[in-house]
Amino acid sequence: MKTLFLSFVALLATLNASAQQALGQRPNVKSPDVNGTTATLNYFNPTAKDVSVELFSVDRHNFAMTPAGNGLWSYTTNALEPELYLYSYKVDGQRMLDPANSYVSRDISTLSNYFIVSHEKGDRGWLYQVNAVPHGRVEKVWYDSPQLGMKRRMTVYLPAAYDGKRRFPVLYLLHGHGGDEEAWPELGRATQIMDNLIALGKAEPMIVVMPNGNPNLPAAPGQWEAGNYVPNGNAFSEIKPVKSFPESFMDVVSFVDNNYKTVKKREGRAVCGLSMGGGHTHDIALRFPDTFNYYGLFSAAPRVNGQFAHSGFYNHIQSSADYQQQSERLFASHPKLYWIGIGKDDFLYQTNLDLRRFLDEKGYTYEYYESLGGHVWANWRIYLSMFAEKLFK
């Protein structure tokens, strides 16, 4: 029996060592190798026949990697602007991640590696990376939503100066279709942006609340009792919410005001969002015109009476007396900022142009920023950086 036991222990030790070795296996190459303004991507595979890299920021580009000898494939970029870059490989027709790069982000169900290029302090790349500045605290919290009849999850950023005594203004930051409460902290780099802007003195210290904007789902994939399902942007679409997210939004505000030291008045509240979240912001502004003082629509997908119009949005506005009355009430309340940002190649560009046409004809005050590119995170990080600098001053 003793011999059998010792043999079993030896077997476990061998298996454990093998497992640890397997877990630690990675190619003996450096990738990415960021050197100033360029980056070299290296991939080791002596059996591969064709390897390319897809590099993505504002635009998406594919580049062939070249054999560098001994099974190594390599590609060096041209000079890159300060930015966060996503990338993946295609190896003999199969998309795959860089096994030499441990840094991965999730966009709905797509995983990509990333690296950051920064030329100097304060540029976009610098804003998106972790720097030696005072860091805020990030909490994942559950709150009760009576309007939706469920407990729901949100991400809350508390600035470094938050001590539970002083009151802070609140920015409510909303994600797009297919996203969740993990989207802005991960792909959006919201916590790094806020830490760095506050440290530079460009943004006021503020609480940032990033809720889950899917009214039929309580939390991000893998974070609730449904288990590790495949996220696809329409998961559990058969579950019909009892109300829309904008209709239930004051449940979020009530929880935050009751559990954190906040400025509980309009002057201390801002709301913004991207795509679907921009549409939610647009709707929230119309529903609660005296509750928030700052609104940010990032590549927004606005609705008229709950209906999204991909084309002919101006005509939908013109045919809705309710929408026009709500808009008149909103702008009669004199919000301090109504901000619209969109890329000139965004598929929602015409919709936003229609919205601006209506605002211009009515003489309603707003600010507008037009960037390059389309419906991409590279733009939304820029919009957040710009919008945050304008708040609570």
Side-chain angles (χ1 to χ4, degrees):
M1 177 65 75
K2 182 176 180 181
T3 301
L4 179 62
F5 175 75
L6 292 175
S7 298
F8 179 67
V9 170
L11 175 61
L12 284 179
T14 301
L15 291 174
N16 183 60
S18 298
Q20 291 297 323
Q21 183 180 18
L23 287 173
Q25 283 178 353
R26 57 181 297 155
N28 188 26
V29 297
K30 183 177 181 180
S31 183
D33 185 3
V34 180
N35 184 15
T37 63
T38 65
T40 298
L41 304 172
N42 294 307
Y43 172 65
F44 177 76
N45 186 335
T47 64
K49 305 299 183 185
D50 182 69
V51 183
S52 61
V53 58
E54 182 181 65
L55 194 62
F56 186 31
S57 57
V58 173
D59 299 309
R60 191 184 300 267
H61 298 283
N62 287 283
F63 302 99
M65 300 183 75
T66 57
N70 298 319
L72 185 68
W73 297 76
S74 184
Y75 170 73
T76 298
T77 70
N78 292 326
L80 297 172
E81 294 296 318
E83 184 55 81
L84 182 150
Y85 294 88
L86 300 171
Y87 73 98
S88 64
Y89 294 146
K90 183 170 285 188
V91 181
D92 296 333
Q94 181 68 42
R95 185 183 188 274
M96 65 174 295
L97 297 177
D98 184 349
N101 185 356
S102 301
Y103 297 95
V104 178
S105 63
R106 175 181 66 88
D107 189 1
I108 309 179
S109 60
T110 300
L111 301 178
S112 301
N113 294 107
Y114 71 88
F115 63 89
I116 298 174
V117 173
S118 174
H119 298 174
E120 61 183 4
K121 180 177 180 179
D123 66 22
R124 287 176 186 168
W126 189 90
L127 287 180
Y128 305 155
Q129 66 189 19
V130 178
N131 295 304
V133 300
H135 299 302
R137 185 168 81 248
V138 177
E139 299 182 350
K140 307 290 184 179
V141 299
W142 289 84
Y143 72 99
D144 185 51
S145 175
Q147 296 289 328
L148 295 176
M150 67 172 75
K151 290 191 177 297
R152 314 195 75 243
R153 188 171 180 257
M154 68 172 79
T155 302
V156 179
Y157 166 87
L158 302 172
Y162 186 87
D163 59 3
K165 299 176 182 178
R166 171 186 165 192
R167 294 191 177 275
F168 288 82
V170 183
L171 167 62
Y172 294 88
L173 182 57
L174 312 181
H175 62 78
H177 177 72
D180 48 60
E181 72 276 13
E182 306 284 1
W184 269 111
E186 298 298 327
L187 276 166
R189 307 294 287 184
T191 56
Q192 288 80 16
I193 289 171
M194 296 312 303
D195 276 351
N196 292 326
L197 285 179
I198 292 170
L200 290 174
K202 291 186 175 182
E204 296 296 313
M206 67 187 79
I207 299 169
V208 182
V209 176
M210 294 161 272
N212 189 306
N214 304 298
N216 61 331
L217 302 177
Q223 300 297 331
W224 61 293
E225 61 270 19
N228 294 337
Y229 59 90
V230 177
N232 62 11
N234 293 301
F236 302 96
S237 59
E238 72 281 1
I239 301 176
K240 303 303 179 184
V242 294
K243 290 190 176 181
S244 70
F245 181 68
E247 287 175 315
S248 70
F249 192 66
M250 291 310 296
D251 289 345
V252 177
V253 177
S254 296
F255 175 86
V256 172
D257 280 347
N258 289 332
N259 289 273
Y260 297 96
K261 285 289 186 180
T262 65
V263 177
K264 299 181 181 181
K265 54 185 178 180
R266 183 186 193 190
E267 290 72 20
R269 296 192 186 111
V271 58
C272 66
L274 69 92
S275 194
M276 179 183 77
H280 287 164
T281 299
H282 170 267
D283 198 354
I284 288 165
L286 298 176
R287 289 179 181 276
F288 311 108
D290 299 316
T291 304
F292 306 89
N293 214 24
Y294 305 84
Y295 303 98
L297 281 62
F298 306 166
S299 306
R303 295 172 181 260
V304 175
N305 300 329
Q307 299 298 314
F308 172 66
H310 182 66
S311 61
F313 185 68
Y314 178 80
N315 293 333
H316 283 264
I317 293 175
Q318 292 301 99
S319 64
S320 175
D322 288 342
Y323 182 94
Q324 295 185 52
Q325 289 172 2
Q326 286 179 311
S327 296
E328 183 178 3
R329 194 177 101 174
L330 168 64
F331 286 95
S333 73
H334 302 293
K336 190 165 183 181
L337 178 62
Y338 196 91
W339 194 90
I340 299 172
I342 194 164
K344 67 182 184 67
D345 299 319
D346 199 299
F347 76 96
L348 290 170
Y349 185 86
Q350 183 61 49
T351 300
N352 281 252
L353 192 65
D354 286 352
L355 174 60
R356 291 174 53 219
R357 176 183 173 186
F358 168 73
L359 298 176
D360 289 338
E361 289 176 352
K362 292 294 184 179
Y364 297 149
T365 301
Y366 67 95
E367 292 186 17
Y368 176 66
Y369 176 76
E370 185 172 305
S371 60
L372 300 174
H375 211 69
V376 293
W377 274 103
N379 275 334
W380 302 326
R381 287 188 291 266
I382 293 170
Y383 302 162
L384 173 60
S385 302
M386 297 177 65
F387 186 70
E389 289 188 23
K390 297 175 178 291
L391 303 179
F392 313 125
K393 295 181 177 179

